[in-house]
Amino acid sequence: MRRREALAGLGSLGVFGAGAAFAFGDLGLSGNEERVESVELPQIDAPGSTADTAVVPESGRVTYVTMFATWCSTCKAKMDPLNEAARNVADTVQFISVTNEAIGQTVQPADVAEWWREHDGNWPVAYDEDLALTQALDASGVPYSAVIDANNRVTSTELGYSDAEAILNHIEDAK
Amino acid sequence: MDRRTFVRLAAVSAGGAVAGCIGGEDSNTVFDEPYIEDANPEALAYPAHGEKLPDVSLPAPLQDKNMSTAAFVGERETLLTFIYTRCPGPCPGMTAALAHVHVDAAKEGYSDEVALMPTTFDPEYDDTERLRKFSKQNGADPTAENWVILRPESSERADEVINGEFGVGFEAYEKADGKGHGGHNSSQGEPLNPDEGDTDFTHVNLVLLANRDGYIERAYQEVPRPDKLLSDLKTVRNGY
């Protein structure tokens, strides 16, 4: 078999590394004002969360949702600012995290609950069983946060880390 | 003989033995168009839309035998990706995307109709135990028959196969600040296995979806959104 020219075509790909970060770079905000359909998701029995169902986003109030995965290191790092934001956010805001990792074989809801405890989560946490929310929000990586206003319009999205102040500001902007 | 002509002839001669109902006339794929690559497939480093999945035999440590990247051609759809477990960012994501297929297949009863092949280009660090743990963390059962991690015998062999045949363009470099992946800044958290080694890699992100006839349907140059990957796989499966 011939050896492919390893470098041919790399220009159109973008080489990963040396400063480039795929899913975990700070890509900033890209509110697109699109309406998203609400989806019903199973919640996980964990601190701040009951084994109930959650409707995300909840029409009629502002939603701040963060897609995450337990394998994702930046998701761990984001738990502290999320925790601080959760403590300071108004009760009128739906504040929720949703894992969109592959649940059902080696990772079960109970494993997510354990991760949640380890990282001091204390607000509702659900999982995107059919990836419907991932699709609706076009969550292109994790952690991926979206602010959705009372009329189901996405006002901002953010891929990667952010601090509590930025999180609270984005929520405020959607009111 | 021109390579593509040869490919076409091979497909025609095999046409009687396989389901011949895919795509248009003269097509080996269900998807008529490439995903996002726009160059001539032959000009691209990696196996692109419509090209043949390379056939290379590599150790499969979880199965404890050698297996070919094309081992399942003729029977199943194959998904490949190229990773190293110390990778802080996209490699877990690409592995997790394959894990989504793994979990969906178990749930929907098509586990024996799909093969999942994450392939490491860091064989010196990625021993069997680390690959097993990495699989589990990303949601895939390392004892499953369809979860086949490939691990070249050496770094040289990894270069020969993963760069030479699959065009991933990975390159090892010494970490300058001990944090790895070059420009990852402190806000991006800790790598999965932060304490090991001074070597990191640049690489392109690549996930390949080959149909059961061994032709590339999708070459994602990114971490594919899992629902998109599942939907594309479904389209290919329904094309037969």
Side-chain angles (χ1 to χ4, degrees):
Chain A
M1 252 180 261
R2 79 192 165 100
R3 181 180 170 93
R4 286 166 182 274
E5 289 302 319
L7 291 177
L10 284 190
S12 65
L13 290 175
V15 179
F16 181 83
F22 157 70
F24 307 112
D26 181 13
L27 301 187
L29 299 170
S30 62
N32 55 16
E33 299 288 321
E34 276 175 28
R35 279 178 63 90
V36 292
E37 289 287 321
S38 297
V39 293
E40 194 173 292
L41 302 173
Q43 274 191 186
I44 294 170
D45 184 9
S49 180
T50 53
D52 205 340
T53 56
V55 174
V56 185
E58 256 181 48
S59 303
R61 61 173 177 154
V62 172
T63 293
Y64 183 84
V65 57
T66 301
M67 313 296 296
F68 74 102
T70 60
W71 51 258
C72 153
S73 53
T74 311
C75 302
K76 291 173 192 166
K78 199 170 182 175
M79 285 300 279
D80 277 346
L82 282 173
N83 204 321
E84 195 184 329
R87 279 198 308 271
N88 291 292
V89 77
D91 291 343
T92 50
V93 172
Q94 179 187 33
F95 193 93
I96 188 167
S97 288
V98 177
T99 175
N100 62 1
E101 67 199 275
I103 288 183
Q105 293 279 315
T106 57
V107 179
Q108 298 291 343
D111 298 306
V112 178
E114 195 184 320
W115 185 93
W116 194 250
R117 263 187 297 275
E118 274 171 27
H119 296 91
D120 300 323
N122 191 26
W123 59 92
V125 54
Y127 63 103
D128 195 11
E129 200 170 20
D130 301 318
L131 297 170
L133 189 64
T134 299
Q135 184 174 4
L137 294 175
D138 187 19
S140 51
V142 282
Y144 182 91
S145 298
V147 185
I148 303 148
D149 73 10
N151 296 314
N152 282 32
R153 276 190 298 263
V154 178
T155 59
S156 71
T157 62
E158 186 171 52
L159 182 59
Y161 183 91
S162 51
D163 62 27
E165 193 185 342
I167 293 169
L168 290 167
N169 284 342
H170 295 327
I171 292 171
E172 201 53 42
D173 289 345
K175 285 182 181 171
Chain B
M1 184 189 282
D2 172 71
R3 184 161 154 274
R4 297 187 73 79
T5 309
F6 173 73
V7 164
R8 292 238 170 78
L9 288 175
V12 169
S13 63
V18 297
C21 56
I22 58 171
E25 226 173 300
D26 212 27
S27 170
N28 298 310
T29 55
V30 174
F31 285 110
D32 292 334
E33 297 293 330
Y35 177 52
I36 46 179
E37 68 266 30
D38 54 4
N40 179 340
E42 292 221 56
L44 296 169
Y46 53 88
H49 176 256
E51 294 197 309
K52 266 281 198 189
L53 180 65
D55 180 354
V56 189
S57 184
L58 293 171
L62 301 180
Q63 279 73 17
D64 200 20
K65 61 179 176 182
N66 279 9
M67 291 185 77
S68 165
T69 51
F72 296 95
V73 169
E75 300 163 21
R76 316 181 182 193
E77 273 65 55
T78 302
L79 285 131
L80 281 110
T81 189
F82 305 91
I83 54 105
Y84 66 110
T85 68
R86 289 186 278 185
C87 175
C91 308
M94 294 189 290
T95 307
L98 265 56
H100 269 287
V101 174
H102 172 72
V103 167
D104 186 66
K107 202 166 78 179
E108 303 295 330
Y110 65 92
S111 291
D112 59 354
E113 294 169 33
V114 67
L116 304 150
M117 294 182 150
T119 302
T120 176
F121 44 79
D122 188 12
E124 280 162 22
Y125 181 82
D126 287 341
D127 60 24
T128 307
E129 203 40 55
R130 286 186 172 123
L131 292 169
R132 206 172 269 141
K133 186 179 169 207
F134 186 69
S135 302
K136 283 187 195 165
Q137 282 173 334
N138 287 287
D141 175 6
T143 67
E145 180 267 349
N146 67 359
W147 186 258
V148 181
I149 295 189
L150 298 175
R151 177 179 173 270
E153 295 87 340
S154 64
S155 299
E156 293 71 29
R157 179 69 172 150
D159 175 51
E160 187 181 310
V161 173
I162 297 171
N163 286 339
E165 296 292 337
F166 287 95
V168 169
F170 80 84
E171 196 173 344
Y173 66 94
E174 296 302 306
K175 286 191 255 187
D177 57 359
K179 286 190 174 158
H181 248 57
H184 280 253
N185 62 43
S186 58
S187 74
Q188 289 160 343
E190 297 301 314
L192 205 61
N193 303 300
D195 53 342
E196 294 286 340
D198 300 319
T199 307
D200 208 344
F201 296 89
T202 57
H203 59 100
V204 299
N205 299 323
L206 185 65
V207 175
L208 298 174
L209 163 58
N211 64 32
R212 64 194 69 175
D213 291 332
Y215 292 92
I216 305 295
E217 294 276 1
R218 284 283 183 257
Y220 307 91
Q221 303 124 54
E222 62 186 5
V223 181
R225 227 177 59 200
D227 60 289
K228 174 74 181 142
L229 184 63
L230 284 168
S231 151
D232 286 352
L233 175 62
K234 193 172 182 180
T235 300
V236 172
R237 285 170 48 77
N238 289 343
Y240 280 84

